[in-house]
Amino acid sequence: MPTLTIDGIQVTVEPGTTVLQACELAGKEIPRFCYHERLTIAGNCRMCLVEQEKAPKPIASCAMPAADNMVIHTDSPMVKKAREGVMEFLLINHPLDCPICDQGGECDLQDQSVGYGKGSSRYDENKRAVKDKYMGPLVETVMTRCIHCTRCVRFITEVAGVPELGAIGRGEDMQITTYLEQAMTSELSGNVIDLCPVGALTSKPYAFTARSWELRKTESIDAMDAVGANIRVDVRGREVMRVLPRLNEDVNEEWLSDKSRFAYDGLKTDRLDRAYVRRNGKLQEATWAEAFAAVATGLKGLAGSQIAAIAGDLACAESVIALKDLMEKLGSPNLDCRQDGARIDPSNRAGYIFNSGIAGIDEADAILIIGSNPRREAALINARIRKRYITGKVKIGLIGEQAQLTYKYDYLGAGPATLKDIAEGRHAFAEILKGAQKPMLILGQGAIARADGAAVLALAKQVADACGLVKDGWNGFNMLHTAASRVGALDLGFVPGQGGKDVAGILAAAQAGEVKAVYLLGADEIDTSKLGSAFVIYQGSHGAAGARRADVILPGAAYTEKDATWVNTEGRVQLGRRAAAPPGEAREDWAIIRALSDALGQTLPYDNLGMLRRRMLQAAPHFGAVDKLTPAAWGNFGTAGAVSDAPFVSAVADFYLTNPIARASATMAECSALARGAAMPKTGTHD
């Protein structure tokens, strides 16, 4: 391994390490604009120049491989002069926009010009001006500020896999553009904002709304999908101003999907901020006491079998366990968290989690995707698959919709018949899985949210057993969820009890008049017209479908407004933090259920969050292993049976509108319309 000397410090590095990386290992800070750890090396900003002994001129450390016996100086007079010269050239055409630039206070160019610049300029010629480009409703452009680092171009091409950005022209005529000036179609396009080291690409929804030093920053967990991306929520007063990604190598690396990043304006729209009770056919404002009294009246005299509860996709683990305990006290076995009717077998945890872990995709050498479109259902997992694909070390097969993913795959078939052929060894892809060292299967909700879903699940397990997906130190059976609440609710047993009804059974019984009261915990994806004449209690944050059908509305907190536990698709327990206060009279969901239990005479045995979480630990001990993967024992799940010939369809039809918060977002509505090809009015940056 190469050993080199950096400012008198000897460092031994792995072959292929660059001089810049070696300098960082030695504890030396090297400025850079174009270099990024997750992108290919461009070597075009020259800010990372260092001195190599016996070299005729400074070298670009990001592009120079470390070699044995190199002697590097990072702070010599030559290096200082070279960096001052590079900074002077960068600032020749850069406008003095700092007072109005949204990047102000978070700008790499600002920081490095102070740290490494000369402090004066010898140029007084006119600066160049570049026309701003239209990149859609999410990314604001001020291209005169662009320093041509090409980070955005490399990200969109390499990570997002949608090569829609590039450079035209040369020298001072060079411009970064979307070629035809159309909106970017990637679900990860907002990450170019984080990557841009200057103010050329900024957030359009956030533009001119706040400065970074005005914001209170809270580390939390995203609930827009089941990936559980680590986020930072920036708040001013009571209002969420923006959402940014946090680094977590095992989950989202440092990326964030556009829905998770930009749907925050939905937190201000269509909110439930006070209780409502239906009187004379109309919902009317009520106090908490009146709402609880109305619930008590609605449930009075009902047997447990006549009461049901459905948990929605944004329900945190605390609210789920509280509602489950309340239903048990009321004697009801009718509860379910599978709004979409997915035939998940809750008896075996290995049958409903992403067993290999999201980071396990980096090791897979064969991947079979079944009934899923990862690009729409989990954009960050799709990016992880692409990351593995571009290494050339994985074969990918797909059964289901012929989706336009960001990598090439072998299309194997449309439905269960192909899966059955693989399970029984009659398909060529079965041999690919058997020959792989770390084969992987990704089962989407579209494959199991159907009448024969239990049989499809059994077939998927048969594939796992027959093709060696489960072996020492590796479990390649993975279920990809789309709802943030689903795995946590399954872990806590929010499924039908002995003789209880699932979602389909609850709706059918409500229509028939057998179930007379239904508690909807943020459940908006069900067909509320099938609730018949049942007494409906809706608890949630937004006035969506469930609220419109409700007889009593209990206003709850959104995911940014409560301390909550989330379990992502891989079964990783993560803690979300309260960043803002809920609006008006809204309260944290578990606290509402606890207060309601008092009014119903069925007091729950916990008075604070600590006591409630101890109850969660009793129900599922792995809730104590925060931010860790708890392996699940491989066992039996699914129910063998006949399968239909109907093709698999993705569970997500519209990436941007999957939950009440996203549907309340004007930004997501505009993105959805553009994705569907609808004509949108021109903006100020689109001539």
Side-chain angles (χ1 to χ4, degrees):
M1 293 194 295
T3 299
L4 58 164
T5 304
I6 300 171
D7 291 347
I9 302 170
Q10 274 206 338
V11 181
T12 301
V13 297
E14 296 287 334
T17 302
T18 65
V19 172
L20 186 150
Q21 292 168 326
C23 290
E24 289 188 332
L25 289 173
K28 303 297 178 180
E29 181 181 347
I30 304 296
R32 82 291 299 265
F33 291 115
C34 69
Y35 175 78
H36 191 277
E37 294 82 355
R38 301 184 198 278
L39 304 176
T40 54
I41 293 169
N44 54 13
C45 78
R46 319 310 281 181
M47 194 65 205
C48 65
L49 293 174
V50 296
E51 180 184 353
Q52 178 186 350
E53 284 191 6
K54 300 181 181 177
K57 59 182 180 180
I59 63 170
S61 60
C62 72
M64 177 67 72
D68 217 15
N69 300 320
M70 266 187 173
V71 179
I72 302 294
H73 301 286
T74 68
D75 201 22
S76 66
M78 176 195 280
V79 172
K80 185 173 184 295
K81 183 178 179 182
R83 289 174 181 169
E84 287 178 351
V86 169
M87 182 59 69
E88 193 170 14
F89 275 118
L90 284 173
L91 295 177
I92 287 173
N93 282 312
H94 198 79
L96 190 58
D97 281 351
C98 300
I100 61 163
C101 178
D102 270 324
Q103 199 84 346
E106 302 172 304
C107 178
D108 290 349
L109 188 63
Q110 273 185 336
D111 295 342
Q112 292 186 38
S113 65
V114 170
Y116 304 99
K118 196 172 184 179
S120 62
S121 174
R122 294 173 290 174
Y123 292 88
D124 56 11
E125 290 85 356
N126 291 333
K127 295 176 181 285
R128 77 168 191 158
V130 181
K131 183 180 174 184
D132 295 341
K133 306 296 187 293
Y134 174 72
M135 293 187 183
L138 304 179
V139 180
E140 181 72 65
T141 63
V142 185
M143 300 313 291
T144 300
R145 302 172 187 159
C146 179
I147 62 170
H148 305 155
C149 71
T150 68
R151 280 186 181 182
C152 56
V153 176
R154 284 175 284 149
F155 171 82
I156 285 293
T157 304
E158 298 163 13
V159 179
V162 184
E164 295 174 332
L165 282 179
I168 58 174
R170 299 183 68 183
E172 70 173 12
D173 294 324
M174 180 178 170
Q175 298 184 27
I176 303 296
T177 178
T178 55
Y179 303 118
L180 299 178
E181 292 202 32
Q182 294 178 339
M184 287 188 284
T185 60
S186 171
E187 295 80 8
L188 300 170
S189 64
N191 291 288
V192 300
I193 297 166
D194 298 334
L195 288 170
C196 185
V198 295
L201 305 177
T202 54
S203 170
K204 191 172 283 188
Y206 174 71
F208 308 121
T209 58
R211 287 296 199 178
S212 60
W213 53 84
E214 298 179 294
L215 304 175
R216 187 175 68 254
K217 302 166 179 66
T218 306
E219 296 185 347
S220 192
I221 302 298
D222 173 54
M224 291 292 104
D225 56 26
V227 176
N230 288 219
I231 59 173
R232 193 186 86 194
V233 183
D234 288 358
V235 175
R236 184 175 62 189
R238 297 170 65 103
E239 183 180 353
V240 174
M241 303 303 294
R242 65 179 178 180
V243 174
L244 299 175
R246 280 191 297 131
L247 178 68
N248 188 321
E249 295 289 358
D250 294 331
V251 183
N252 58 303
E253 297 180 299
E254 61 185 80
W255 315 127
L256 194 60
S257 77
D258 288 347
K259 181 169 52 180
S260 303
R261 184 188 294 268
F262 294 108
Y264 63 85
D265 62 319
L267 294 167
K268 298 180 287 187
T269 310
D270 202 21
R271 287 304 301 268
L272 299 174
D273 59 358
R274 63 200 65 194
Y276 287 84
V277 173
R278 192 175 294 277
R279 302 186 182 105
N280 302 319
K282 288 188 176 181
L283 284 169
Q284 299 178 8
E285 291 182 19
T287 64
W288 278 107
E290 290 170 340
F292 288 161
V295 173
T297 301
L299 299 182
K300 189 175 181 180
L302 296 184
S305 60
Q306 296 175 307
I307 303 171
I310 302 173
D313 294 350
L314 298 179
C316 62
E318 285 81 359
S319 60
V320 165
I321 191 68
L323 183 56
K324 178 175 184 281
D325 288 349
L326 179 60
M327 288 296 116
E328 285 180 354
K329 281 184 172 288
L330 295 172
S332 173
N334 306 317
L335 56 161
D336 201 356
C337 61
R338 299 161 295 184
Q339 286 189 98
D340 53 4
R343 302 289 199 264
I344 297 170
D345 186 343
S347 65
N348 191 310
R349 193 169 190 256
Y352 63 78
I353 64 172
F354 208 95
N355 288 281
S356 67
I358 295 171
I361 295 170
D362 296 344
E363 303 174 47
D365 46 2
I367 301 176
L368 175 61
I369 301 172
I370 305 165
S372 174
N373 180 340
R375 184 172 170 183
R376 284 204 303 248
E377 296 170 23
L380 293 169
I381 287 179
N382 191 68
R384 203 89 179 213
I385 297 173
R386 174 173 169 77
K387 177 184 172 184
R388 181 59 176 167
Y389 164 77
I390 60 178
T391 66
K393 297 176 181 177
V394 66
K395 289 281 288 182
I396 303 172
L398 184 143
I399 303 174
E401 294 179 1
Q402 276 190 279
Q404 189 176 1
L405 303 179
T406 56
Y407 39 83
K408 292 181 181 178
Y409 57 83
D410 295 327
Y411 184 66
L412 309 179
T418 307
L419 183 60
K420 191 171 185 179
D421 287 343
I422 295 175
E424 296 175 358
R426 296 194 302 268
H427 197 287
F429 205 82
E431 297 306 315
I432 292 174
L433 291 171
K434 289 176 184 176
Q437 294 297 310
K438 292 190 174 180
M440 178 182 289
L441 172 156
I442 298 177
L443 183 64
Q445 299 301 293
I448 55 174
R450 38 190 273 163
D452 60 352
V456 172
L457 181 59
L459 275 178
K461 182 184 184 301
Q462 190 178 337
V463 170
D465 289 333
C467 298
L469 269 66
V470 182
K471 55 187 76 173
D472 287 344
W474 179 257
N475 186 336
F477 182 91
N478 298 313
M479 184 173 287
L480 180 57
H481 291 274
T482 56
S485 67
R486 185 69 53 86
V487 176
L490 290 169
D491 285 347
L492 294 170
F494 202 90
V495 290
Q498 188 70 34
K501 297 176 174 62
D502 61 9
V503 166
I506 291 169
L507 295 179
Q511 272 191 311
E514 297 166 10
V515 166
K516 299 185 182 300
V518 181
Y519 199 119
L520 302 179
L521 181 60
D524 294 288
E525 315 305 322
I526 61 170
D527 185 353
T528 55
S529 66
K530 293 184 177 179
L531 290 169
S533 59
F535 177 74
V536 176
I537 306 141
Y538 179 84
Q539 179 179 330
S541 60
H542 283 69
R548 289 191 288 272
R549 169 59 185 85
D551 295 292
V552 177
I553 293 176
L554 307 176
Y559 72 104
T560 57
E561 299 160 0
K562 56 186 175 182
D563 291 316
T565 304
W566 305 94
V567 187
N568 74 350
T569 192
E570 57 181 351
R572 184 186 301 270
V573 176
Q574 300 186 106
L575 299 180
R577 305 291 184 190
R578 174 174 167 148
E585 304 267 325
R587 296 292 182 267
E588 294 194 10
D589 292 291
W590 76 267
I592 294 172
I593 297 168
R594 168 63 179 80
L596 177 60
S597 71
D598 266 351
L600 297 177
Q602 303 288 348
T603 303
L604 295 174
Y606 27 79
D607 298 325
N608 55 52
L609 194 58
M611 295 173 70
L612 176 58
R613 286 181 170 166
R614 283 193 288 274
R615 165 71 183 102
M616 289 162 58
L617 281 173
Q618 291 173 357
H622 64 265
F623 272 84
V626 176
D627 202 31
K628 293 182 175 64
L629 288 184
T630 305
W634 189 245
N636 292 319
F637 52 85
T639 305
V643 292
S644 77
D645 294 330
F648 296 136
V649 179
S650 171
V652 175
D654 189 330
F655 166 76
Y656 298 101
L657 305 176
T658 55
N659 59 61
I661 296 175
R663 289 192 287 270
S665 164
T667 305
M668 292 297 97
E670 187 174 356
C671 290
S672 175
L674 280 172
R676 295 194 307 269
M680 296 299 295
K682 293 182 179 180
T683 68
T685 59
H686 189 195
D687 295 334

